Amino acid sequence: MKITLCGGGSWGTAIARLLSNKGHELNFYIRNKEVIEDVRKNKENTKYLPGAKFEKEINLTNNLDSVLEDIDVFIIAVPTSSIREVLTSIKGKISKEVIIVNLSKGIEVESLDRISEISSEILKDNPFVALSGPSHAEEVGKDIPTTLVASSENLKVAQTIQHEFSTPIFRIYTNPDLVGVEMGGALKNIIALAAGMNDGLAYGDNSKAALMTRGIYEMSKLGISLGANPHTFNGLSGIGDLIVTCTSMHSRNRRAGILIGEGKSMEEACNEVGQVVEGVKTVKSAYKLAKLKNIEMPITNALYKVLYEGYDPNKAVYELMTRENKDEIEQIFFE
């Protein structure tokens, strides 16, 4: 296939390398000229994904318009806050048959739209696929076996991406529940921030296990209210992605949470991580969505207070632990 990938960060680089090494004709758009020169010279992105060598030639460019003609797939690998700008910039420049594949995980703060909804608004005729699951770029770049899920409202399109992107170290399942897959991928970053704060506060395994367990429940409640299949949250884009993001030091969200738990501000933590920490903005998006849907999300609410109202993390934990006693399973799952 002829593919254009937009976004030269670690995850975009990992997927560009994987698809190029598989034999696809790849155009790799990177905005930063210095990163382009680095990849061209060293056959790797030493800034964002050191050690992951490109085995085949790729077309590197910082002119997106020059790599839109006659492509089969357009891959988005930019922060959620930049998605609308990128899709608007290619509107009218690609055919309606081009498959839009999104690698980002978030919810737009201003509109509260999922990324598929943004794509549908701007490129209404183009099929859309979300690729999600437990997949750190650092491991994909080292050819460590990884399993993801491709989700689309059009099963044939999801199966096309499944077939064309799969390799012996990169296994892809399909799932038609686009709402659940997107919400799982976005919301797990909130819980990973909380898990990192747990570590930064020097709490233990008991509290982290509780955060992760109640976190997946909280994620599923909001997802179900938007029409998601509850079973999706038990899969790769739900609990699978949650586990890897809450436990790995590859996770930007967990690393940022650790720094916040140690006493640094949200801004200081994000600056030290050095790349976009999607969970910070997703906390705000999910907080707003939960209010609109009248869904109780105590972990998200606590994080919102810590990040955006300067609340003390220890006090937030105390309030979580001393909330009104409840049943573990709520009626929402049986309606």
Side-chain angles (χ1 to χ4, degrees):
M1 302 185 85
K2 188 174 182 180
I3 300 171
T4 290
L5 191 152
C6 175
S10 57
W11 189 218
T13 300
I15 295 299
R17 173 185 175 273
L18 180 137
L19 296 175
S20 171
N21 289 351
K22 184 174 179 180
H24 291 297
E25 182 181 344
L26 188 80
N27 303 306
F28 193 9
Y29 167 81
I30 303 174
R31 183 174 58 181
N32 190 316
K33 290 183 179 180
E34 292 181 1
V35 176
I36 289 178
E37 290 307 312
D38 174 36
V39 176
R40 183 172 286 127
K41 177 183 177 182
N42 299 303
K43 304 298 182 186
E44 66 179 285
N45 188 338
T46 59
K47 181 176 182 179
Y48 294 115
L49 197 66
K53 293 284 186 180
F54 285 85
E55 298 169 6
K56 298 187 178 182
E57 290 297 320
I58 58 172
N59 178 32
L60 294 160
T61 182
N62 70 340
N63 181 354
L64 187 57
D65 286 350
S66 69
V67 288
L68 298 177
E69 188 175 356
D70 298 327
I71 60 173
D72 302 299
V73 175
F74 183 83
I75 302 176
I76 319 165
V78 301
T80 301
S81 58
S82 299
I83 294 282
R84 187 174 292 275
E85 177 186 356
V86 168
L87 293 181
T88 300
S89 74
I90 68 171
K91 184 178 180 180
K93 299 173 185 177
I94 60 173
S95 76
K96 64 181 181 180
E97 287 78 25
V98 173
I99 301 171
I100 308 299
V101 176
N102 175 56
L103 306 183
S104 304
K105 299 172 181 177
I107 303 165
E108 191 175 49
V109 174
E110 297 78 12
S111 67
L112 303 184
D113 284 343
R114 292 175 286 110
I115 294 170
S116 63
E117 293 175 310
I118 301 172
S119 183
S120 179
E121 175 189 333
I122 299 169
L123 304 172
K124 61 184 181 65
D125 294 324
N126 291 85
F128 179 94
V129 175
L131 194 62
S132 193
S135 50
H136 287 310
E138 294 82 357
E139 296 191 1
V140 173
K142 293 177 181 178
D143 294 330
I144 292 173
T146 300
T147 306
L148 291 91
V149 59
S151 182
S152 176
E153 293 176 350
N154 185 327
L155 180 58
K156 288 185 178 179
V157 172
Q159 289 172 335
T160 296
I161 296 304
Q162 177 187 45
H163 174 73
E164 296 292 346
F165 284 30
S166 292
T167 76
I169 61 96
F170 199 73
R171 180 175 174 81
I172 300 175
Y173 291 87
T174 59
N175 184 339
D177 179 21
L178 187 55
V179 175
V181 168
E182 288 188 290
M183 292 302 291
L187 297 177
K188 55 85 185 176
N189 287 329
I190 296 174
I191 310 306
L193 274 170
M197 285 174 55
N198 172 86
D199 297 334
L201 290 165
Y203 293 160
D205 296 336
N206 292 353
S207 49
K208 181 179 278 190
L211 269 173
M212 292 170 67
T213 306
R214 296 307 299 172
I216 194 70
Y217 185 66
E218 188 166 305
M219 289 162 55
S220 64
K221 281 202 301 180
L222 184 58
I224 291 167
S225 77
L226 297 171
N229 182 336
H231 294 296
T232 296
F233 295 93
N234 296 326
L236 292 164
S237 61
I239 198 166
D241 211 356
L242 181 74
I243 290 169
V244 79
T245 314
C246 288
T247 60
S248 173
M249 282 303 288
H250 291 315
S251 166
R252 304 173 201 171
N253 293 281
R254 182 190 172 210
R255 296 203 314 271
I258 291 171
L259 295 168
I260 293 168
E262 290 173 343
K264 296 197 174 180
S265 69
M266 177 178 71
E267 293 78 11
E268 290 171 334
C270 291
N271 287 337
E272 187 165 331
V273 169
Q275 293 192 63
V276 173
V277 181
E278 286 276 19
V280 168
K281 288 189 176 180
T282 306
V283 166
K284 184 179 287 188
S285 302
Y287 179 83
K288 291 181 177 180
L289 268 176
K291 295 290 184 186
L292 283 174
K293 294 292 183 178
N294 196 29
I295 300 295
E296 188 179 20
M297 298 182 70
I299 298 171
T300 300
N301 290 345
L303 272 172
Y304 182 87
K305 291 168 72 173
V306 170
L307 296 180
Y308 293 103
E309 297 178 358
Y311 216 63
D312 178 79
N314 279 294
K315 188 174 180 181
V317 172
Y318 175 80
E319 291 181 359
L320 278 172
M321 293 295 291
T322 56
R323 292 166 59 241
E324 178 186 358
N325 291 338
K326 294 179 176 289
D327 290 330
E328 183 181 20
I329 307 298
E330 296 177 46
Q331 191 65 28
I332 185 172
F333 284 96
F334 303 102
E335 291 178 349

